[in-house]
Amino acid sequence: MIKMIAIDIDGTVLDHKTGIHQTTKDAILKAKELNIPVIIATGRNLTTIHHIAKELQIENSSYPFVSQNGGQSFSFNHKNKGELKIYYTVSFDTKLTKELFDCANENKIRIFAYSENEKYAYCNKKISAFRTFMKFKTKRQKLISYNKKTDFSKLKVSKFICFGKAKHMDKFRELAEKNNISIFAFSYVSDAHANIELNPIGVDKAYGLKYVTEQLNIDAKDVIYFGDGENDIAAIKWAGKGIAMKNAKDIVKEAADDVTDLTAGEGGVGDYLFKNIFK
């Protein structure tokens, strides 16, 4: 029996060209009628989640959502008081953070790193198209340029976005793997370059959703999860029913229990819920 629905955003409920399909919106409303919690689990930061939650009409739920690939959990309407509540944020060790920045500089890798404070981010290049793009996408208002004297202990890093040519990325990725950092393919940027996201050791969407189910007293076997990207695989495997989108990569489909008949843009999540869960 499904007692919780967990959804990724980009490429799952949201198509960047057509938006959120009405069938998916209708299915989320049906879940609310049936008192089934609908939980967002995304790589996004909380600021860029709010308008999606509002369009799905779940921004007023008091359920914890999962952001930053499991690195943070929060709710917009904590205990129906209309206040933002952050339950936890997992951050990188400050020494490792500095090592990653130094390695990135040596290998011409551009970094956009989320700080614990939603307003701030760290970058290692003062001017670049990537920096401008990420500032717009994440809505971080203030960017801090990294230098050898930067003190990360005052404002720790919770997530890295890394961009560079494949030939330069190998040594940088080697350092991340050596330190058991969680590494995911980054979906915003084209595959012309090597693009990855880094989260602290052991942090992924399954990590975040485990926290949510513990708070709601729900067993993982009673959770259905929808996703399309590499950062969804852990959650797909963890959930009792892990569903890959029709538009997902093959590696994601191989990890899933089932695949939607339709893409995100065609309302794949809603179509699957009506056919298989709400029937």
Side-chain angles (χ1 to χ4, degrees):
M1 180 179 178
I2 297 302
K3 297 181 180 179
M4 187 177 105
I5 298 168
I7 51 174
D8 172 47
I9 292 179
D10 301 283
T12 299
V13 295
L14 175 69
D15 180 284
H16 287 282
K17 292 182 180 180
T18 60
I20 303 175
H21 197 279
Q22 188 60 47
T23 302
T24 295
K25 293 179 182 179
D26 291 343
I28 300 306
L29 287 176
K30 183 64 176 179
K32 289 177 65 177
E33 289 177 15
L34 298 172
N35 293 316
I36 301 174
V38 178
I39 308 299
I40 290 175
T42 177
R44 292 183 179 218
N45 56 317
L46 66 88
T47 302
T48 58
I49 296 171
H50 187 265
H51 74 282
I52 300 296
K54 187 174 182 179
E55 189 169 353
L56 292 172
Q57 298 185 48
I58 55 175
E59 83 281 9
N60 288 325
S61 75
S62 58
Y63 302 126
F65 290 164
V66 175
S67 61
Q68 298 187 34
N69 293 326
Q72 188 175 74
S73 182
F74 69 96
S75 65
F76 290 117
N77 193 27
H78 180 53
K79 295 181 180 178
N80 298 315
K81 294 180 180 179
E83 61 184 29
L84 174 67
K85 170 70 175 181
I86 295 177
Y87 299 101
Y88 74 78
T89 303
V90 185
S91 301
F92 280 87
D93 172 78
T94 54
K95 182 180 178 182
L96 179 56
T97 300
K98 183 174 175 57
E99 288 179 16
L100 288 166
F101 266 97
D102 289 339
C103 184
N105 287 343
E106 291 170 6
N107 292 282
K108 300 179 181 179
I109 305 298
R110 295 174 186 176
I111 282 180
F112 189 96
Y114 297 8
S115 78
E116 294 174 311
N117 186 313
E118 192 69 12
K119 294 181 179 180
Y120 294 86
Y122 293 98
C123 300
N124 62 340
K125 190 171 183 178
K126 291 184 178 180
I127 301 175
S128 73
F130 175 69
R131 173 182 172 131
T132 303
F133 173 79
M134 287 306 305
K135 182 179 181 181
F136 170 76
K137 293 298 291 186
T138 63
K139 302 187 185 302
R140 298 263 162 163
Q141 300 170 8
K142 299 181 181 180
L143 303 186
I144 303 169
S145 295
Y146 170 74
N147 61 59
K148 295 288 184 179
K149 296 182 180 180
T150 301
D151 183 1
F152 292 109
S153 64
K154 295 180 179 179
L155 197 60
K156 292 182 178 180
V157 168
S158 56
K159 178 183 170 183
F160 283 86
I161 305 292
C162 312
F163 169 72
K165 293 182 178 180
K167 64 180 181 181
H168 296 148
M169 188 65 76
D170 289 344
K171 287 186 178 179
F172 180 74
R173 184 160 187 151
E174 184 179 319
L175 174 62
E177 291 175 347
K178 179 182 176 182
N179 286 277
N180 298 314
I181 293 170
S182 297
I183 306 173
F184 309 104
F186 178 43
S187 58
Y188 279 153
V189 190
S190 72
D191 293 332
H193 292 71
N195 314 294
I196 57 176
E197 299 181 359
L198 304 181
N199 278 88
I201 299 169
V203 172
D204 53 33
K205 290 187 181 181
Y207 175 96
L209 288 170
K210 286 176 186 176
Y211 173 83
V212 175
T213 52
E214 286 173 2
Q215 303 309 304
L216 302 182
N217 196 28
I218 294 173
D219 196 289
K221 66 180 176 60
D222 297 321
V223 176
I224 185 170
Y225 179 84
F226 293 89
D228 74 303
E230 184 180 313
N231 61 346
D232 295 305
I233 292 176
I236 283 174
K237 291 181 176 179
W238 166 83
K241 198 168 184 62
I243 311 300
M245 302 302 296
K246 181 180 179 181
N247 50 276
K249 293 181 179 180
D250 288 342
I251 189 174
V252 182
K253 293 177 180 178
E254 290 168 5
D257 298 307
D258 205 353
V259 179
T260 61
D261 293 328
L262 304 176
T263 65
E266 295 167 335
V269 169
D271 177 73
Y272 190 95
L273 288 171
F274 278 121
K275 286 180 178 177
N276 301 279
I277 305 303
F278 302 148
K279 63 182 180 179

